[in-house]
Each structure stands twice: as C-alpha cells, then as structure tokens.
C-alpha cells in the first residue's frame, strides 16, 4: 500500500517500503519510455516517486528545446468559434438551434468526427438555452454577433475551473449523439470571471525580501508549474521546485528562505530562474513549456532566463541614484517639447563617445560628447523631454554576437549599401524595437554586458540619471498592443503560459494581427493589469516622467484612464501620457470597446498624435508611393502649384487629383496640365523681380487644395480643439470639428493637452527626405533648409504638445527610406557635429522602398540636394531660436480650451486671405507668464516675399521678438527684411520665413 500525501502542484505517492519504491521507479521509467515513444512529454506527479520526479523536472529545466511538444492532436475542431462569456454562459455565433453538449478531457485526447460520437471524452455536460445575459456580459461580447447562447447547470459550472485545465469542445449533436459540428472555445470570458481576484495581486513575478524570495505566476489553466533555479545565465539548474496553486486566483506561488542548492544562508538574489508550465495547448495536447517570467525585471543574455533581484538592491543602482535630482513635473502637458530619440542612433556613430559606450545606455553619461552637448543646447533653448524609442526587452536584436555589415563604398544611388545591410538584417545590432519580448525589463543589447542581469538595470538608470542631470525629463515609448510572437513560438511568453488568453482573437480563434504583429487584448483583465503594472514599475523604479503608447487606439479608453490613476499614484506625481490614437483594425469604430483613439479620448487628458496638420504641412500621406510622393504640402510647394509660370518656374501637373509641380527630368507623358485661372493684372512686383518677366508670369486664384491646407494648418495652431471657431476659406464661421480631414473631423480634442503636434517622427520619411520629393530639383540648399524650418516653426507655434524627431534640426536624411525600422545603423545615422546629414547613402532597403527606386535614383544622384555643414548649422541654430520663442511665452502653450478660444485669432483667413501666409495673433493681457501683451506670428511659405495689410493691427508698437531682433539670431532675414508699417497695419514678410512680432 501507499499513503497519499499532498504536495504543491498535485499529489505524489510516498512508498512504504524499498520494494514499493523500486517498483514505482521501474513503472516511472516504463511510462517515461512509452510517453517518449508516443511523442508525449507528460508524466503526472502521481506516476513517479519524488526523486525521479525531481530528475525529470531538472531535465526540463536544462533541455535544449523550450517546449516538450508531442505530435499535434487532430481533435476534429479546426478553430475556436465558440466563446465563454463568463463562468457559466457560452455563445456560438451564427450557429443553428439544436442540441448542444460540452465535452471535456483531462489528458487532451478527445476527438470529434462528423457523423460519429465523440471519443476520448472524460465527461459530457448538457447545455440549456440561456436567458437574458447580465448587461455587462452582453455589452462585452456584443461584437461577436448573434448566435446560440447556452448555459451550464450550476453543479457543472462549479467544476469549470478544473475543466479549463484540460481539453474542451462545444458540440452540436443529432438525437443519437452524433457530431454535427464541433468547435473549441475562446477562454478569456471564463478566466476573467472565475479569477477576478487575481487582478488585485500586487506582487506577481519575483519578490526579494530579507533572506527569502517569493515567486508568483498567474497560470490558471496549467496542470503543474515548476520553478527552475540557476546559479547564473548559462549553467545547469541547481534546483527544480514545485509551485503551489491558489484556486481563488489561479496563481502559482513559491517562497524559498534560502538557496536549496548551496546550504543554508545563501541569498538567491543575483541568480536566475525559469518556469516549467504544463498546460493544454489547443490543437497540440498537453505541453510542458519552459518560459521566462512575464513580470521579469531582469534577464540573462538573449532573454533566456529571468533574473532574481530587488530593484532596491544596491547592485541595480548607479552611484548617487538614491539622491539624484530630477526635473520637477511640468505645470501643464502643453509645456512639453519632446525630442524623440533612439538609444543606438544617439551614439553609435559619435566619435566623441568611448568605443565601449557607443550604442549603449552609458553613452548618455559621457557628458562632453557631441550628442550630450547637443541635448544640453536643446534643453537650454526650451526642449523639455527626451522620448526614447523602445528600451524594454525586445525580440529582434541578438544581445550577444550581433553582426555589423560591411558597407561598400558605392554611388549615392547604388543598391549595394542596402544589399549589405539586408543580408545580415536578421542578426545585426539594429531595430527600432517595436517587438516586445518582456515588458518590464530593460533591453540587453544596450547594456555593456547583456549577460549580467543587474548591468542592464543599473546602466538604464545611469542613462536616466544623466538626462535628468542635463535638465531633461525622460519619456519611454511603450508597446502593449502586441507581442513579437504568440502560440508555441520560442519567443512567445504569455501564450505559452495561458494559451489563448492574452491575445485578441478573431471569430475563428486565430490571433489578430492588424497592428503588424500578434495583437494583445488589454480589454482582458490580466493583460490590462500587466500593462498597468508595467507602466507603474517604470515610473516608480526608473523615474520615467512620461510615456508614449504605440498604437494606443487598440486599447480601451477605460484601461488608459485607470492606468493614468495608477501610474500617478505609483510615481507620487503626475505622469504625462501620449500615444497613437489611430482607429483601424478589428476594434475600429468601437467594435469591441470604447477605444483610446483620437475621436474617443477627448476629455481624458491623454494626448494623441494629430495627422491632420502633419499631412497638410508635409503633403500627401504616409502610405504614398510613386507619383503620389510628389504631391506637395503647405510648406513645400502647394502655394506655388496654385500659379502657372513661364520658364522660370516649374509647371504644375495634376497627379491623383492634386496639383504637382513638374520636376527637372520628369516627363509630361500621361500628366495633363492643371487648368488654372490667370489674372495678368494681379502680378506682384515681388514676383516679377524674382526672376521671370511680368509678361511671362500669370497670377492664379488660389487652389482649393491650398486654401484647405491653410485651414488645416490653422486647426493645428488652434490645438485641434473641437469647439474653437474660425472663418474658413469659404467664408463660413465654423467649429474646427466641422473642418474636413479625409472624411473625419479635423478638430477632435477637448483640451490642448490632448493633442500632440508633429511633422516627422521615426515612422515614414524624415522631413528633409519628404521635402526632396516635394520641392523642385533646382531648389537651393538654403531654401531647403528654410522649408524645413517652416514646418518646425508651425509645429512650435501650435497649441498643444510639441513633438520633434531627433535630427530634424540637422536636416537628417535616411536616404529616402520610408520605414527604417530594420535598416541597420547605416540608414539611421545621426551626426551631432553637423558635418553630414547622410543624404545619398545609397538606395534605401528594397522591401519597403523597391517599387520607388526608379524615381529615387535621379534624386539621390543630385549632389546639389545634399546640404553643406553651413546649411545644417543654420537649421540647427534657427530651430533653437524657435524653441526659445516658444519657451518665452505661455501664450504658445496655453493651458485650456477656453484660454485658446479667448486669446487666439487668425487675422488673415476667410475667402479673401493670402493663403501663402499664416497669421496668428495671441492676446496676452492678464495671462500668467505671457511675457508680452500681444504676439503676432507670420509664417510665409511662399518662395517670394509677401505683403499683408491687417488694419486691425495698425497703430500698434510691434517690434520683432527679442530672439529674432538679437544680432545673434540664426536667421538674419527676419531682422533684415521684415517690415511693419504702423500707419496702415501693413506687414512685409520675407520669403520662406517665420516672423514673430511682440507688443510689450
């Protein structure tokens, strides 16, 4: 006989004699051999004595493969079209009425074949038609559409927690019990209902306290969980400890007072661990997965093992961390001026950084480097935040032994450079990082030693500490809308612990991929918790000041508002949140929940990026290819496309419905000339003096495209407020939500802190590169710099949050690359010394750019497009002047919608406007920190000087803004050429110049 004793993770048999022990050991090895022959990794705890089970577990801890996977099981159900709605109710959308049963199998060997009875089932449960659903349940699952709603009997529902740890099939049967149709079930509704208490747990992951260490892993569908302990990141396991399941939360836990492999008294901090999770995987059967902790705070190299530490441990802190100063919270979100930067871009090519620090966190601690001096200059001018592209653990860059391509010395339009980059792209050292592996741990490729779990934590903090010391707040770009992998992929973490829970599934149970990758479902209770816990960790333990959420529109508004409350509490201060509020994919237009999207977030205080003014300023859209790339925007040619010129000007062409100037070398074949209305009497003397004879120059009425673009620019300058009113180009007084942007409301926010204004970021072409497409080929280098500054000025003057891409002020080029996420260091270089902008570095990588190569070749070969160091220095210094102007007055950063409604006016607007000049007037009377009684900015995007007469601004004592009036102003054109006649209110605005007047 044997005596059954309880043991964490299940039961095991304690033999009463040596004979029984030998027999059980023999039976264990027979079962192991048979299971191995059958392709099954499964041996239940009750099948083996403790010593043998320990050896078996250890083998799993050290196995080469991260999963012991049997042959896939064909259960007869190819998809998961059924839904658990809660702990009792089920739905099969679109199913016909009939007889339905739920079948269960603990060992995952069940099979459903049409026309036959179910085989391999342990239990079958009758299902009754459901009555009205609880309102919250009905609302949550409305997206599934109508179908058959079913309910388990109370007694059967009480067993559901155990049943979910095996195989379940929902079957429609005939009267004889034969299968008519079968489907698997999507689990999140049941798991959220049964394990709601898990959400309140504050300590998932590893917790080190005193001389004890605790682990907690949420794995409610697992049959067994084992903790594997390792001395370091590469050595074999020193222990395999079973964990105990809490039935109320579905969480497995273990607490160890010492290192079981080294005798009493040795702390576990600094060691490593993984989990062995034995779980049913639909379509595969019972699997034993070795996985890292989704709550890992540190990792071994290449994320193979989780690191045991407290983030309060001295080994994780750089010198002076505890007492290090940090910038105060900003009074309002609109005070933010954000600089978007990639860690590797920052220093990889900076010769002033020690070689061991290049491309690493520690480069930010080299205070005398070109890069750090540049950042300090930006801060002194008015930049407040550095936002870092993803710095959490990513899946796409080898942390050890990444490959550096050998780039050939080739022509500016050669394919050779990109070929060298793409040949090793899968194993090189570069990626933007939008492929999360572990949300709570720093990326190891930026650490000096990725194999040291503490180094990446300590050096990340040193980076933050250095930026704070420079007066810059630190923001993180975070990605909770997808993971890099799902299912049984080795780089899948969440799905190999709780299969089918963390990701958003389609109607057949496949993972949605609208984000580009495997979409997560933050509307599910524990995925939402993971996101909130993660952001709170970064804010509390790394002193992150603000967060940018990638594809935030794929997350519920309610989750983001809850996150805001929790992260503020964790940080003990307000933490600013911004994100991409794009509305697309399976959740578009609120199909599953109220999204954290542009049109749904107003009133939340959370900022979203505005594409409205971005597209108006740049021209075209982010997905343009071919001829559409030449479509000009407000600053780079749309004004000139409204006029027909003689030989001195490019002729406008109609491309895809938009007037486009003809490029040098471009043929007219297939492109009819745009019809423009000419008025010879309206020729201006400035335009005649600019080059063409007056008889060759015809003045046309402004195009609808130009007028509408000017209105969209004003929308951005007014903070994209829904209810701000202005006179549009048709003469109507309209609210900005009535201004059209591609069929949507142009004005969409309730408060200025809810909009992020930008003209370039890491996505799409840089501003310099997009201007290469839009501007005539013979545009001078100086004018290219000026066009760049026009866009930056409009961004700086716009109400809301200002967002700038690193290197925009240096005329940064990626050699026309439209998507440089995996284009290596070569196409992502930045030269902080301003000697080169890297235009003409070869044709950009073929995967995203190849179809446009024929159009790119002549542009890249044109040496006159590439700026000189003097052009770069001019743009940099003039941009810093724009930051100084923005920082000089709170009128550029007004706090509330009411402030903007009361104090901002656009005097040159309406049907009689000169659309080449944007004029904005700011009333500072009585406004805190306004510094001036009035401000009038004038932005002339024309290649000619323009004259405006604004009678309401006559008899005022306007002077140039002190920054522009200074002899040290970078752009002397405003001081030299701008004129104001107070008798008439007549302003003369130099070509392609932003001028700011003030009234003290």
């Amino acid at each position: 006989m044997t005596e059954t004793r309880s043991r964490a993770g299940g039961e095991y048999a304690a033999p009463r004699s040596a004979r029984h022990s030998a027999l059980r050991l023999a039976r264990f090895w027979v079962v192991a051999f048979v299971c191995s022959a059958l392709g099954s990794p499964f041996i239940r705890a009750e099948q083996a004595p403790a010593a043998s089970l320990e050896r078996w577990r250890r083998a799993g801890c050290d196995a080469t493969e991260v999963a012991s996977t049997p042959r896939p099981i064909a259960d007869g159900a190819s998809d998961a079209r059924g839904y658990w709605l809660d702990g009792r109710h089920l739905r099969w959308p679109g199913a016909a009425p009939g007889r339905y049963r739920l079948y269960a199998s603990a060992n995952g060997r069940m099979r459903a074949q049409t026309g036959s009875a179910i085989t391999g089932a342990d239990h079958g449960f009758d299902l009754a038609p459901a009555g009205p659903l609880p309102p919250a349940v009905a609302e949550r699952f409305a997206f599934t559409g109508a179908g058959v709603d079913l309910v388990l009997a109370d007694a059967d529902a009480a067993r559901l927690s155990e049943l979910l740890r095996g195989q379940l099939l929902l079957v429609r049967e005939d009267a004889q019990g034969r299968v008519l149709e079968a489907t698997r079930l999507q689990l999140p509704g049941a798991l959220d209902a049964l394990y709601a208490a898990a959400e309140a747990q504050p300590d998932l992951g590893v917790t080190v306290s005193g001389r004890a260490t605790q682990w907690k892993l949420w794995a409610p569908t697992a049959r067994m969980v084992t903790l594997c302990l390792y001395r370091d990141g590469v050595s074999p396991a020193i222990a395999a400890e079973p964990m105990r399941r809490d039935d109320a939360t579905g969480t497995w836990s273990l607490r160890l007072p010492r290192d079981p492999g080294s005798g009493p008294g040795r702390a576990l901090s600094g060691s490593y661990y993984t989990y062995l999770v034995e779980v049913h995987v639909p379509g595969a059967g019972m699997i034993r997965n070795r996985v890292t902790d989704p709550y890992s705070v540190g990792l071994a190299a290449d994320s193979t093992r989780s690191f045991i530490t407290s983030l309060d441990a001295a080994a994780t802190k750089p010198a002076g961390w505890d007492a290090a100063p940090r910038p105060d919270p900003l009074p309002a979100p609109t005070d933010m001026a954000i600089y978007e930067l990639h860690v590797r871009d920052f220093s990889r090519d900076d010769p002033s950084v020690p070689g061991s620090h290049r491309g690493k966190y520690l480069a930010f601690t080299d205070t005398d480097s070109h890069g750090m001096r540049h950042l300090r200059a930006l801060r002194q001018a008015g930049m407040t935040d550095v936002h870092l592209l993803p710095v959490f653990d990513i899946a796409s860059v080898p942390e050890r032994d990444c490959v550096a391509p050998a780039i050939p010395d080739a022509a500016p339009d050669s394919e050779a450079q990109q070929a060298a980059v793409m040949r090793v792209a899968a194993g090189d050292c570069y990626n933007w990082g939008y492929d999360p592996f572990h949300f709570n741990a720093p990326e190891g490729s930026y650490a000096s030693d990725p194999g040291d779990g503490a180094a990446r934590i300590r050096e990340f903090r040193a980076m933050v500490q250095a930026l704070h010391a420079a007066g810059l707040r630190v923001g993180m770009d975070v990605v909770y809308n997808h993971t890099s992998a799902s299912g049984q992929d080795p780089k899948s973490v969440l799905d190999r612990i709780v299969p089918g829970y963390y990701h958003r599934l389609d109607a057949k149970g496949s993972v949605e991929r609208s984000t580009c990758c495997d979409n997560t479902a933050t509307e599910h209770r524990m995925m939402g918790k993971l996101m909130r816990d993660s952001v709170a960790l970064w804010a509390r333990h790394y002193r992150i000041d603000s967060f940018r959420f990638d594809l935030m529109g794929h997350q519920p508004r309610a989750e983001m508002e809850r996150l805001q409350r929790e992260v503020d509490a964790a940080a003990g201060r307000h933490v600013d949140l911004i994100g991409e509020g794009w509305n697309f994919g399976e959740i578009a237009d609120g199909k599953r929940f109220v999204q954290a999207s542009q049109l749904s977030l107003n009133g939340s205080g959370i900022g979203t990026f505005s594409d409205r003014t971005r597209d108006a300023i740049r021209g075209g859209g982010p997905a343009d290819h071919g001829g559409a790339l030449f479509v000009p925007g407000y600053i780079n040619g749309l004004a000139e496309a409204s006029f027909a010129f003689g030989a001195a000007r490019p002729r406008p062409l109609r491309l895809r419905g938009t007037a486009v100037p003809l490029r040098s070398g471009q043929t007219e074949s297939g492109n009819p000339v745009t019809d423009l209305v000419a008025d010879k009497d309206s020729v201006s003397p400035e335009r005649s003096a600019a080059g063409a004879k007056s008889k060759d120059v015809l003045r046309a009425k402004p195009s609808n495209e130009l007028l509408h673009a000017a209105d969209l620019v004003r929308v951005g300058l007014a903070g994209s407020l829904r209810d701000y009113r202005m006179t549009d180009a048709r003469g109507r007084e309209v609210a900005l939500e009535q201004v059209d942007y591609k069929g949507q409301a142009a004005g969409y926010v309730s408060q200025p802190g809810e909009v992020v204004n930008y003209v370039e970021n890491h996505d799409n072409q840089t501003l310099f590169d997009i201007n290469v497409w839009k501007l005539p080929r013979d545009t001078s280098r100086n004018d290219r710099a000026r066009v760049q500054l026009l866009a930056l000025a409009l961004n700086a003057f716009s109400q809301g949050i200002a967002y700038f891409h690193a290197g925009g002020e240096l005329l940064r080029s990626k050699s026309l690359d439209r998507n440089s996420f995996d284009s290596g260091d070569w196409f992502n270089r930045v030269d902080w010394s301003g000697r080169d902008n890297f235009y003409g570095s070869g044709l950009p990588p073929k995967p995203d750019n190849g179809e446009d190569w024929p159009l790119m070749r002549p542009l890249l070969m044109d040496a006159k497009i590439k700026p000189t160091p003097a052009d770069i220095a001019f743009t940099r210094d003039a941009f810093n002047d724009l930051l100084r102007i923005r920082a000089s007055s709170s009128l550029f950063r007004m706090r509330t919608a009411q402030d903007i409604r009361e104090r901002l006016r656009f005097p040159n607007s309406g049907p009689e406007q000169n659309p080449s000049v944007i004029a904005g007037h700011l009333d500072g009377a009585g406004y805190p920190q306004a510094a001036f009684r009035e401000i009038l900015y004038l932005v002339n995007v024309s290649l000619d000087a323009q004259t405006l007469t604004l009678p309401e601004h006559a008899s005022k004592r306007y002077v140039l803004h002190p920054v522009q009036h200074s002899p040290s102003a970078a752009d002397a054109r405003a001081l030299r050429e701008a004129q104001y006649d107070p008798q008439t209110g007549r302003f003369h605005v130099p070509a392609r110049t932003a001028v700011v007047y003030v009234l003290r």
Side-chain angles (χ1 to χ4, degrees):
M1 292 181 64
T2 61
E3 168 185 347
T4 301
R5 299 175 182 170
S6 76
R7 180 182 174 92
E11 295 181 341
Y12 75 103
R16 289 187 172 181
S17 67
R19 178 174 176 273
H20 278 290
S21 179
L23 287 172
R24 291 194 63 83
L25 181 58
R27 189 174 77 173
F28 167 79
W29 288 114
V30 169
V31 173
F33 175 81
V34 172
C35 288
S36 176
L38 292 175
S40 171
F42 254 102
I43 303 164
R44 291 295 302 142
E46 63 268 19
Q47 295 174 320
S52 300
L53 189 58
E54 171 70 12
R55 287 194 294 273
W56 178 73
R57 286 178 172 135
R58 288 272 195 105
C61 293
D62 297 328
T64 302
E65 299 297 326
V66 297
S68 299
T69 310
R71 292 186 297 251
I73 296 171
D75 57 14
S78 60
D79 47 35
R81 288 170 289 147
Y83 293 82
W84 282 107
L85 304 181
D86 57 19
R88 296 186 62 215
H89 295 92
L90 308 87
R91 174 178 294 167
W92 192 336
R99 171 183 169 180
Y100 289 87
R101 298 199 85 209
L102 179 69
Y103 287 95
S105 168
N107 63 13
R109 294 287 175 174
M110 187 164 48
R111 180 174 174 79
Q113 186 171 352
T114 303
S116 302
I118 282 280
T119 59
D122 300 330
H123 305 284
F125 303 95
D126 292 328
L127 297 169
L133 296 172
V137 172
E139 180 181 4
R140 175 177 176 178
F141 289 96
F143 73 90
T144 67
V148 174
D149 287 355
L150 305 163
V151 64
L152 272 172
D154 290 346
D156 297 334
R159 304 179 58 185
L160 185 56
S161 177
E162 177 60 28
L163 297 176
L164 289 171
R165 298 166 73 186
Q167 180 190 19
L168 290 172
L169 289 177
L170 176 59
V171 178
R172 183 167 67 91
E173 299 178 334
D174 64 15
Q176 287 72 43
R178 293 173 300 204
V179 175
L180 296 174
E181 197 173 7
T183 183
R184 300 176 194 139
L185 289 153
Q186 298 187 27
L187 303 181
L191 297 182
D192 282 350
L194 293 173
Y195 301 107
E199 192 177 15
Q201 295 176 112
D203 53 356
L204 291 175
V206 65
T207 303
V208 178
S209 59
R211 303 181 74 84
T213 305
Q214 173 187 274
W215 292 264
K216 286 187 176 181
L217 177 71
W218 189 68
T221 60
R223 302 299 294 267
M224 186 188 303
V225 179
T226 300
L227 178 78
C228 301
L229 286 170
Y230 309 89
R231 186 83 63 215
D232 53 40
V234 294
S235 300
I238 58 174
E241 296 290 319
M243 300 179 72
R244 182 180 297 276
R245 185 180 194 273
D246 173 38
D247 291 337
T249 62
T251 299
W252 298 74
S253 63
L254 175 68
R255 181 179 176 86
L256 293 177
R258 60 180 180 82
D259 181 339
S262 62
R266 186 185 185 280
L268 284 166
S269 190
S271 302
Y272 295 80
Y273 69 101
T274 59
Y275 298 115
L276 293 180
V277 179
E278 298 179 7
V279 65
H280 175 77
V281 177
M286 301 301 284
I287 305 293
R288 183 181 64 181
N289 283 318
R290 186 176 72 247
V291 293
T292 44
D293 194 332
Y295 275 75
S296 296
V297 296
L299 295 156
D302 294 319
S303 312
T304 56
R305 296 172 182 178
S306 300
F307 182 60
I308 302 172
T309 191
S310 164
L311 291 177
D312 292 325
T316 66
K317 299 177 182 179
W321 172 255
D322 288 335
R326 64 186 292 194
D328 292 331
L330 295 172
T334 52
D335 288 320
M336 285 197 289
I338 299 171
Y339 196 67
E340 182 197 52
L341 182 62
H342 186 278
V343 167
R344 190 167 173 85
D345 291 353
F346 175 66
S347 61
R348 158 57 171 75
D349 296 289
D350 188 345
S352 67
V353 173
S356 62
H357 288 184
R358 292 180 194 168
K360 308 293 185 182
Y361 299 125
L362 289 177
F364 292 87
T365 68
D366 298 311
T367 56
D368 200 38
S369 70
H370 295 323
M372 283 306 295
R373 285 186 299 200
H374 189 85
L375 291 184
R376 284 197 300 274
L378 290 172
R379 176 65 194 103
Q380 290 163 8
M383 198 73 74
T384 62
D385 292 52
V386 166
H387 264 213
L388 300 168
L389 266 69
V391 283
F392 50 77
D393 182 55
I394 63 176
S396 52
V397 174
E399 293 181 349
R400 286 197 189 278
D401 304 320
C402 61
V403 179
I407 307 295
D409 184 7
D413 69 338
S414 172
E415 300 177 24
Q417 300 95 324
Q418 66 85 33
V421 169
M422 299 314 292
R423 195 174 297 121
V424 299
D428 74 353
C429 310
Y430 192 89
N431 199 282
W432 283 348
Y434 292 89
D435 46 1
F437 201 168
H438 297 87
F439 294 111
N440 297 355
E443 164 59 13
S445 67
Y446 302 142
S448 61
D449 181 2
D452 179 352
R456 65 178 72 194
I457 301 170
R458 183 173 59 250
E459 292 169 11
F460 187 111
R461 285 171 158 174
M463 170 184 66
V464 173
Q465 187 173 336
L467 287 168
H468 280 168
L472 288 159
R473 298 174 0 126
V474 180
M476 271 182 70
D477 196 332
V478 289
V479 185
Y480 298 103
N481 64 83
H482 66 259
T483 57
S484 62
S486 63
Q488 284 297 109
D489 188 285
K491 292 188 176 180
S492 168
V493 176
L494 300 173
D495 218 17
R496 293 197 301 123
I497 296 171
V498 192
Y501 177 78
Y502 283 101
H503 292 85
R504 189 175 299 123
L505 308 179
D506 66 15
K508 293 185 177 181
S510 298
V511 174
E512 295 276 10
R513 293 181 54 85
S514 59
T515 63
C516 81
C517 308
D518 296 351
N519 296 6
T520 55
T522 44
E523 66 270 25
H524 298 167
R525 188 184 302 276
M526 296 302 283
M527 183 61 217
K529 173 182 171 60
L530 174 55
M531 177 176 70
R532 299 192 310 273
D533 289 350
S534 178
V535 174
L537 179 144
W538 290 109
R540 174 186 294 156
H541 292 288
Y542 291 90
R543 302 176 185 168
I544 299 300
D545 301 290
S546 57
F547 293 87
R548 173 201 180 273
F549 287 79
D550 179 69
L551 298 184
M552 181 174 65
H554 269 58
Q555 294 156 196
R557 170 176 171 149
E559 276 300 315
M560 290 302 302
E561 290 180 311
R562 183 174 178 185
L563 185 153
Q564 179 75 80
R565 295 190 296 270
E566 292 186 13
V567 71
D568 286 356
R573 54 161 62 187
H574 178 68
V575 175
D576 293 296
L577 305 181
I578 63 174
E580 292 180 310
W582 316 134
N583 175 40
F584 68 98
E586 71 283 356
I587 44 71
D589 302 321
K591 286 187 178 71
R592 298 199 182 201
F593 45 77
V594 177
Q595 301 156 254
S597 60
Q598 285 177 326
L599 299 182
S600 300
L601 264 181
N602 71 95
S604 68
I606 297 170
T608 60
F609 287 82
S610 173
D611 46 356
R612 277 73 167 150
T613 304
R614 176 203 69 190
D615 288 352
I617 290 174
R618 288 168 61 102
D624 289 345
H625 283 281
L629 286 163
F630 293 110
V631 173
Y634 184 69
I635 51 107
N636 51 30
L638 191 53
E640 315 312 322
S642 290
F643 303 100
F645 302 109
R649 291 288 187 264
R651 294 174 63 191
L653 299 179
R654 177 71 64 179
L655 283 179
R656 299 192 184 181
T658 303
V660 183
L662 185 66
R663 264 61 185 177
S664 301
Q666 192 175 345
T667 69
E668 297 186 33
S669 176
N671 294 314
V673 176
T674 306
D675 292 327
L676 295 172
V677 180
D679 178 3
K680 290 185 179 182
D681 296 330
S682 66
V683 175
S684 68
E686 293 85 3
R687 185 172 295 278
S688 296
K693 297 177 182 178
S694 60
K695 66 182 179 67
D696 295 326
V697 182
L698 302 178
R699 180 78 176 223
K701 292 181 179 179
S703 70
N704 290 335
E705 289 93 340
L706 175 60
L707 291 166
H708 189 61
D711 276 350
L712 286 173
V713 170
R714 294 183 185 99
V715 169
L717 289 165
S720 299
L721 296 174
R722 288 173 176 257
D723 59 357
Y724 180 89
R725 302 188 71 82
M726 71 174 190
T727 303
D728 72 3
R730 295 166 61 184
R732 305 171 303 168
E733 184 179 329
V734 295
L736 298 189
E737 65 182 351
Q738 295 174 281
V739 178
D740 177 71
Y741 169 75
K742 300 178 181 179
Q744 304 176 64
Y748 68 92
V749 305
S750 296
Q751 295 295 333
E754 295 171 356
V755 66
V756 182
N757 301 303
Y758 74 116
V759 291
E760 66 173 336
N761 68 355
H762 63 276
D763 284 319
N764 312 123
Q765 298 91 343
T766 67
L767 182 58
F768 180 89
D769 285 345
I770 205 66
N771 288 336
V772 170
W773 288 106
K774 314 296 185 183
L775 291 167
R777 284 264 296 278
D778 59 0
T779 302
S780 70
R781 292 187 176 98
N782 179 261
D783 267 348
R784 289 184 184 277
R786 288 189 168 280
V787 168
Q788 186 99 353
L789 286 166
L790 290 172
L792 297 174
L794 290 170
N795 204 49
F797 298 164
S798 292
Q799 301 295 329
I801 298 166
Y803 196 91
F804 302 98
H805 180 44
E809 74 285 6
L810 299 172
L811 301 174
R812 182 182 182 181
S813 171
K814 297 181 181 180
S815 204
L816 303 183
D817 196 345
R818 65 182 302 110
N819 187 19
S820 70
F821 81 102
D822 199 23
S823 299
D825 295 309
W826 182 256
F827 290 99
N828 286 283
R829 290 174 291 170
V830 183
D831 180 1
W832 302 115
S833 70
R835 292 187 298 270
D836 198 343
N837 81 329
F838 301 111
Y839 182 74
S841 294
L843 286 165
K846 187 174 184 178
D848 285 308
N849 301 278
E851 68 179 276
D852 295 319
W853 276 2
L855 297 173
M856 292 178 176
R857 289 183 189 276
L859 298 174
L860 291 171
M861 282 300 293
D862 192 339
K864 298 187 297 298
I865 292 176
K866 189 177 179 70
T868 66
D871 299 316
I872 296 172
F874 163 71
T875 311
R876 177 198 63 209
D877 296 345
F879 174 70
N880 283 343
D881 282 351
L882 291 173
L883 289 177
R884 292 185 183 97
I885 290 172
R886 183 180 190 274
S888 71
S889 173
S890 60
L891 291 173
F892 291 109
R893 302 170 277 113
M894 286 189 274
R895 275 42 179 158
T896 69
Q898 182 175 345
D899 294 341
I900 296 170
R901 288 193 299 268
E902 292 175 352
R903 296 177 180 275
L904 172 64
R905 295 291 179 270
F906 297 114
N908 175 42
S909 60
E912 302 303 319
Q913 67 180 279
N914 177 348
S916 294
V917 181
I918 293 288
H921 177 260
L922 298 163
D923 178 5
Y927 197 66
Q929 288 84 52
F932 308 103
R933 261 195 303 152
E934 298 180 35
I935 296 176
L936 178 69
Y937 56 79
L938 304 164
V939 183
N940 177 13
V941 301
S942 172
L943 49 76
D944 297 315
Q946 299 290 309
T947 297
L948 284 182
T949 299
L950 306 175
E952 67 271 35
H953 291 281
S955 303
K956 294 185 178 182
R957 302 181 65 181
Y958 278 124
V959 295
L960 281 177
H961 190 286
V963 170
Q964 292 190 322
H965 194 269
S966 169
S968 62
D971 185 3
R973 183 177 285 185
L975 179 59
R976 187 176 62 242
E977 300 180 24
Q979 299 173 18
Y980 164 59
D981 180 1
Q983 299 299 317
T984 61
R986 182 176 181 272
F987 294 86
H988 180 81
V989 190
R992 285 177 168 162
T993 302
V995 180
V996 182
Y997 287 99
V998 298
L999 192 62
R1000 293 187 181 277

